[in-house]
């Protein structure tokens, strides 16, 4: 079984992906989730030219599937980042 994803995290990612990919929330599935310790506040997917707090951040690497596509999210510190091929595509907050 995948690492359990907290409800608040999953609902934030589901809302984000529903808007981004224009898929109904009930079609979004967790493919994988694993605990991570990111090297800094960039959560393993830093935006170019941005300085991040240089402390390790505990979070989760979550792969979701929706509409036949997979989406990789990095979470930590009440934030999430949608990462594609090492590039920061989008980001948001986990309320």
């Amino acid at each position: 079984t995948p690492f359990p994803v907290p409800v608040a995290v999953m609902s934030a990612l589901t809302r984000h992906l529903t808007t981004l990919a224009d898929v109904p929330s009930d079609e979004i599935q967790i493919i994988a989730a694993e605990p991570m310790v990111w090297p800094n506040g960039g959560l393993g997917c830093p935006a170019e030219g941005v300085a991040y707090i240089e402390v390790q951040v505990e979070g989760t690497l979550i792969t979701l599937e929706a509409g036949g596509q997979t989406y990789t999210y990095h979470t930590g510190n009440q934030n999430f980042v949608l990462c594609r091929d090492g590039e920061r595509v989008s980001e948001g907050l986990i309320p």
Side-chain angles (χ1 to χ4, degrees):
T1 55
F3 179 75
V5 177
V7 172
V9 172
M10 195 57 211
S11 60
L13 298 187
T14 299
R15 271 197 308 276
H16 181 260
L17 193 50
T18 299
T19 305
L20 183 87
D22 194 28
V23 292
S25 57
D26 60 359
E27 289 183 20
I28 298 172
Q29 296 180 8
I30 299 177
I31 303 296
E34 56 183 297
M36 298 292 288
V37 178
W38 307 114
N40 59 34
L43 303 182
C45 194
E48 206 170 307
V50 176
Y52 293 96
I53 184 167
E54 290 299 326
V55 296
Q56 291 189 333
V57 176
E58 289 189 26
T60 313
L61 175 63
I62 302 171
T63 305
L64 302 179
E65 192 270 334
Q69 303 272 354
T70 58
Y71 299 87
T72 304
Y73 284 93
H74 298 204
T75 73
N77 278 356
Q78 301 301 112
N79 296 298
F80 67 82
V81 174
L82 175 59
C83 199
R84 186 178 294 131
D85 301 325
E87 297 286 317
R88 183 175 283 235
V89 177
S90 185
E91 60 194 68
L93 295 175
I94 297 163

